[in-house]
Amino acid sequence: MATKAKGRTVVDVGADGIAIVTIINPPVNSLSFDVLGSLKENLDLVMQMDGVKAIVVTGAKGKFSGGFDITAFGGVQEGRVKQKPGWISVEIITDTLEASKKPLVAAIDGLALGGGLEVAMACHARISTPTAQLGLPELQLGIIPGFGGTQRLPRLVGLSKALEMMLTSKPVKGEEACSLGLVDAVVSPHELVNTARQWALDILEHRRPWVASLYKTDKIEPLGDAREIFKFARAQARKQAPNLKHPLVCIDVIEHGVVSGPRSGLWKEAEAFDGLLHSDTCKSLIHIFFSQRGTSKVPGVTDRGLVPRQVKKVAILGGGLMGSGIATALILGNYSVILKEVNEKFMEAGIGRVKANLQSRAKKGNMTQERFDKTISLLKGVLDYESFKDVDMVIEAVIENVSLKQQIFADLEKYCPPHCILASNTSTIDLNLIGERTKSQDRIVGAHFFSPAHVMPLLEIVRTNQTSAQVIVDLLDIGKKIRKTPVVVGNCTGFAVNRMFFPYTQAAFLLVERGADVYHIDKAITKFGMPMGPFRLADLVGFGVAVATGTQFVQNFPERTYKSMLIPLMQENKRAGESTRKGFYLYDDKRKANPDPELKNYIEKARSISGVSIDPKVSKLPEKDIIEMIFFPVVNEACRVLDEGIAVKAADLDISAVMGMGFPPYRGGIIFWADSLGSKYIYSRLEEWSKLYGGFFKPCAYLAARAAKGIPLSAPAEQATSRL
Ligand SMILES: C[C@H](O)CC(=O)SCCNC(=O)CCNC(=O)[C@H](O)C(C)(C)COP(=O)(O)OP(=O)(O)OC[C@H]1O[C@@H](n2cnc3c(N)ncnc32)[C@H](O)[C@@H]1OP(=O)(O)O
């Protein structure tokens, strides 16, 4: 039986002799092999038709194209799909499309990303709408543009802008694209196709230029200047992503085209693209792309046909760091917010923090004064529950005190309407406990933001056994509207992120007490790709918070908590992290962290309290071992989280680690990375350390079972059971 084609193009020839070729492959008109094959077939067809004078290429339903079909990369990587190098970029896009004897004009609405923009750039002119997004985001996937983008974009917009667009993966909108020379005119969506039709006729009749972008030279700088631009770009790329090769490959390929000519550049691009497509970085980043979209697919919740209810007004309790950050995120998402505090002074302080959050955006040029005024007008401070009678959701963000939260939820039940979602931003307390004094268990949910809440991209949605599916669907929708990646998790101490990462700092304490160097550990972990090492992180979070959350873990998981006195000893001397300018580092006026020679005194004391001595092997640990001894306990805890069903799937933990803790996305997330090393290896290392250094490292049953059978940690439970 023939398999169904994945997308197609259709042709419609008008009375004016213009053929409209439309890409159809919902939801984003991605360029699957079927679409590309059909595009070539239809272009060949219209080239032969005497009645066709010129061609307009466009996309169905207001989207030009979201680029090459990312789902097809797997087949190429695994060798199931064989592709002749250059078949698409040279044969179809350059030698069929750009070399066409009839003029082609791209009519762009919605998206022209990656391969989509590359097709458009090979047309002889481009017309777009003002809201269309045009960009080459391939580097985000660990590859480079592979349909000629590395050659055509610099020739249309100049080297510096092209490098910026590719290296940052950021698209530009229609108006900017027009001022850059990437598109030729900007018109409204309803004028788009007709303008493109007329433009194509104008080209044919020499009223407008017939431009083959590949051979344009006017925007390319002279060679000497170009080399300087490349040198600067390389230095930036090395600084921003020292572990990544593909940005440098991208620069090399662009340079090759400038030095040896664009046609040679196309072949160089094809070869480099193929190599990068098979890299671990690309596989990891594609995994992250799909996993991120997969977090909002929750079995038993999002497959029930429930429609998110409209949430207009949200109340936030507590205007501290978290509450004000959450309020900022919500007003930026256009929600009307009331911020409740206990007195006038705290309320003003909370509103002040929200204003400061917005001002810092404005300062960076990301917000106009008009938008600032409009956004802040959505916020109102209150001191009582009077205005709670018409709120659709409440997010409680007060201090972590069980009886206070219980009282608040009991009050909320009285003052809020019966449909109102009752959410808590607690990072550790059991939600069942919080809701103990209410009858509204089905609308109680965790909305755990990460600090700073208006910046960090993750939102943990914590459900209890009683939280209704409707409430989860509502919160998933709000998450999307405030541009967070929501991950739905079960109720337990620390939920997914804090629970997985609690051994991160503890492993570091254990190593330091046995002789490893604090700064060496932080350096090794940052080199691995984390934004900061465990000690710098503890300073940033502050020791007060570290101790409070640590206590929760000691109480709940005593058998695997490493109890070090290092932080309490430092606290005795009023060292509490960055806020006191002294923690594991010393901080100057510019918040620069400098090592502190005095730290060794505290470590010696902590070591003697723990009754451990310096282990010469630990004091000389190579970086690889430091990384493994810090991250394998994190993997071990992630396995427990999966085993207990706290996370629905392993990929959700990958996203939680990347978005909540800054785990490097190019390693694919915590479980994906662990699977790349193998469950057997991780198990054997943990087993070895648990004999040497105690139960903290003991591998859990889930890890042991998977290692014994050689099953990946990410494999769904049924697969593991059937193989057991
Ligand atoms: C050779 C070439 O140079 C190589 C390439 O072209 S590589 C591809 C380059 N293009 C990209 O990187 C764009 C990737 N896509 C995106 O950034 C965003 O999806 C978007 C801006 C297009 C749309 O965003 P948004 O409206 O929020 O929808 P989003 O949820 O992300 O996507 C909708 C669906 O389309 C899918 N999708 C998006 N882009 C896709 C693509 N290029 N290929 C296959 N599927 C794609 C998503 O997986 C999602 O599927 P799902 O509904 O089953 O989860």
Side-chain angles (χ1 to χ4, degrees):
M1 200 175 73
T3 50
K4 195 168 168 276
K6 216 176 157 202
R8 65 203 162 107
T9 61
V10 292
V11 183
D12 178 28
V13 182
D16 54 357
I18 305 293
I20 309 284
V21 179
T22 306
I23 303 167
I24 307 177
N25 189 16
V28 299
N29 295 330
S30 66
L31 303 172
S32 62
F33 286 116
D34 289 329
V35 167
L36 288 161
S38 156
L39 180 68
K40 173 151 171 52
E41 231 170 70
N42 276 330
L43 288 176
D44 285 340
L45 177 81
V46 291
M47 302 299 169
Q48 305 298 323
M49 286 167 72
D50 288 341
V52 172
K53 296 188 209 157
I55 301 142
V56 168
V57 183
T58 193
K61 303 219 164 128
K63 287 175 186 163
F64 187 80
S65 169
F68 186 71
D69 176 11
I70 303 171
T71 61
F73 282 144
V76 182
Q77 284 162 343
E78 289 156 22
R80 280 183 282 117
V81 180
K82 295 259 183 279
Q83 209 208 114
K84 203 168 79 183
W87 172 63
I88 301 170
S89 75
V90 181
E91 271 185 48
I92 301 186
I93 294 187
T94 307
D95 293 347
T96 305
L97 220 142
E98 193 171 50
S100 146
K101 299 268 176 320
K102 298 178 182 178
L104 280 120
V105 176
I108 304 167
D109 194 8
L111 314 156
L113 300 176
L117 180 59
E118 292 173 291
V119 166
M121 287 193 293
C123 292
H124 305 113
R126 285 150 297 283
I127 314 297
S128 95
T129 61
T131 50
Q133 301 205 39
L134 302 95
L136 293 180
E138 284 88 342
L139 268 73
Q140 247 174 16
L141 300 170
I143 47 173
I144 59 169
F147 293 171
T150 60
Q151 306 304 306
R152 289 191 180 86
L153 188 62
R155 286 172 171 78
L156 284 165
V157 303
L159 278 175
S160 299
K161 186 66 193 180
L163 280 161
E164 181 200 310
M165 284 175 70
M166 285 185 250
L167 294 175
T168 62
S169 290
K170 278 202 188 129
V172 292
K173 286 207 176 150
E175 299 285 359
E176 189 184 350
C178 193
S179 68
L180 289 168
L182 180 54
V183 304
D184 300 276
V186 176
V187 297
S188 68
H190 74 269
E191 293 168 306
L192 182 65
V193 173
N194 279 344
T195 309
R197 285 187 116 101
Q198 186 55 48
W199 206 282
L201 284 174
D202 288 350
I203 294 178
L204 186 75
E205 285 152 22
H206 309 291
R207 287 189 295 272
R208 296 202 186 264
W210 186 320
V211 182
S213 321
L214 191 65
Y215 303 105
K216 253 171 79 72
T217 52
D218 57 314
K219 288 276 179 82
I220 298 280
E221 288 78 357
L223 204 54
D225 295 352
R227 287 209 202 275
E228 282 305 307
I229 295 173
F230 291 127
K231 194 170 145 199
F232 179 73
R234 281 193 183 94
Q236 291 281 101
R238 281 199 189 96
K239 196 168 142 212
Q240 271 159 20
N243 290 341
L244 297 180
K245 275 206 210 103
H246 66 286
L248 297 173
V249 173
C250 184
I251 300 169
D252 290 348
V253 169
I254 301 172
E255 184 169 26
H256 183 92
V258 171
V259 175
S260 309
R263 188 101 190 159
S264 175
L266 282 184
W267 288 109
K268 179 91 179 163
E269 180 194 87
E271 182 197 325
F273 178 85
D274 193 53
L276 291 170
L277 189 58
H278 291 87
S279 68
D280 288 343
T281 302
C282 172
K283 289 174 192 164
S284 303
L285 288 170
I286 286 180
H287 168 73
I288 290 295
F289 177 84
F290 287 116
S291 303
Q292 195 180 347
R293 279 143 189 91
T295 61
S296 46
K297 297 182 177 91
V298 187
V301 175
T302 51
D303 48 10
R304 290 167 59 170
L306 293 167
V307 178
R309 290 173 296 178
Q310 208 190 6
V311 168
K312 282 192 185 145
K313 186 171 166 189
V314 182
I316 294 170
L317 292 169
L321 194 66
M322 281 315 288
S324 56
I326 298 170
T328 311
L330 284 162
I331 55 175
L332 281 168
N334 250 342
Y335 287 98
S336 188
V337 172
I338 48 175
L339 186 67
K340 180 178 177 305
E341 256 301 353
V342 286
N343 60 40
E344 198 81 38
K345 192 174 145 210
F346 285 1
M347 189 183 82
E348 289 305 325
I351 292 176
R353 272 188 275 270
V354 177
K355 279 189 183 154
N357 291 341
L358 295 182
Q359 262 146 8
S360 98
R361 277 186 174 233
K363 258 195 209 149
K364 287 181 197 143
N366 295 335
M367 184 176 255
T368 60
Q369 184 63 40
E370 192 192 345
R371 171 115 163 87
F372 177 95
D373 295 341
K374 209 172 148 213
T375 308
I376 201 69
S377 74
L378 293 168
L379 180 71
K380 199 177 145 228
V382 297
L383 295 175
D384 55 31
Y385 287 115
E386 187 65 21
S387 44
F388 277 51
K389 55 184 179 300
D390 60 347
V391 292
D392 304 304
M393 177 165 82
V394 180
I395 303 177
E396 166 275 307
V398 305
I399 52 163
E400 295 285 69
N401 175 320
V402 177
S403 55
L404 174 65
K405 289 187 195 258
Q406 286 178 333
Q407 181 58 50
I408 286 176
F409 274 73
D411 288 343
L412 289 174
E413 196 175 39
K414 269 190 266 163
Y415 294 105
C416 300
H419 75 274
C420 178
I421 301 165
L422 306 178
S424 170
N425 177 53
T426 180
S427 61
T428 35
I429 302 174
D430 187 331
L431 288 168
N432 288 320
L433 206 57
I434 291 178
E436 218 169 49
R437 286 164 56 188
T438 76
K439 289 186 213 72
S440 307
Q441 308 291 347
D442 59 331
R443 50 192 176 114
I444 293 183
V445 67
H448 182 217
F449 290 78
F450 292 76
S451 185
H454 57 295
V455 177
M456 293 292 282
L458 189 70
L459 170 63
E460 270 181 329
I461 300 179
V462 188
R463 58 172 164 180
T464 69
N465 290 338
Q466 296 170 76
T467 309
S468 78
Q470 181 64 57
V471 163
I472 298 167
V473 167
D474 296 342
L475 216 54
L476 281 168
D477 185 55
I478 294 166
K480 194 165 180 185
K481 289 192 174 128
I482 59 171
R483 293 165 183 248
K484 303 283 173 205
T485 297
V487 174
V488 177
V489 296
N491 187 21
C492 73
T493 302
F495 315 129
V497 176
N498 287 347
R499 165 106 183 251
M500 275 194 295
F501 275 84
F502 95 89
Y504 179 68
T505 323
Q506 292 197 321
F509 289 150
L510 183 149
L511 292 181
V512 162
E513 288 195 356
R514 280 166 179 76
D517 177 64
V518 163
Y519 307 113
H520 186 46
I521 291 178
D522 270 5
K523 204 169 145 208
I525 298 295
T526 358
K527 260 172 93 178
F528 174 79
M530 294 295 285
M532 60 189 86
F535 296 104
R536 179 68 186 85
L537 179 68
D539 275 1
L540 182 72
V541 171
F543 294 176
V545 175
V547 169
T549 47
T551 312
Q552 293 289 331
F553 291 113
V554 176
Q555 280 168 7
N556 287 280
F557 315 118
E559 75 295 349
R560 55 181 193 273
T561 312
Y562 184 75
K563 296 172 203 76
S564 167
M565 286 303 287
L566 189 49
I567 282 197
L569 284 170
M570 289 165 78
Q571 276 180 313
E572 277 174 20
N573 271 3
K574 300 209 170 2
R575 297 177 77 117
E578 197 181 317
S579 61
T580 55
R581 289 194 167 203
K582 272 184 181 179
F584 290 99
Y585 294 80
L586 298 176
Y587 296 87
D588 60 22
D589 289 343
K590 290 187 178 131
R591 292 181 55 204
K592 186 172 180 299
N594 296 298
D596 180 6
E598 273 186 26
L599 195 64
K600 65 176 188 314
N601 305 329
Y602 297 98
I603 297 171
E604 269 163 26
K605 260 196 199 164
R607 182 177 294 138
S608 82
I609 297 172
S610 295
V612 296
S613 48
I614 293 182
D615 177 336
K617 246 173 76 188
V618 174
S619 50
K620 290 198 203 77
L621 275 182
E623 281 182 356
K624 174 177 171 286
D625 287 0
I626 292 180
I627 287 158
E628 294 186 354
M629 289 182 88
I630 300 235
F631 279 113
F632 286 2
V634 176
V635 172
N636 202 17
E637 198 59 34
C639 286
R640 291 189 181 96
V641 169
L642 271 179
D643 199 19
E644 291 166 26
I646 300 297
V648 178
K649 51 192 180 298
D652 286 354
L653 295 184
D654 288 332
I655 292 300
S656 303
V658 168
M659 308 243 158
M661 286 301 292
F663 191 87
Y666 54 83
R667 297 191 191 275
I670 191 75
I671 302 277
F672 190 89
W673 173 71
D675 275 340
S676 75
L677 301 175
S679 52
K680 272 192 181 163
Y681 175 69
I682 296 177
Y683 174 81
S684 68
R685 292 291 272 165
L686 283 168
E687 188 66 12
E688 176 193 331
W689 301 325
S690 73
K691 283 184 191 130
L692 289 170
Y693 309 113
F696 172 75
F697 288 108
K698 194 172 170 7
C700 69
Y702 180 99
L703 179 52
R706 288 183 177 227
K709 301 286 171 191
I711 299 164
L713 300 176
S714 57
E718 319 83 73
Q719 196 179 328
T721 326
S722 65
R723 300 257 308 264
L724 285 171

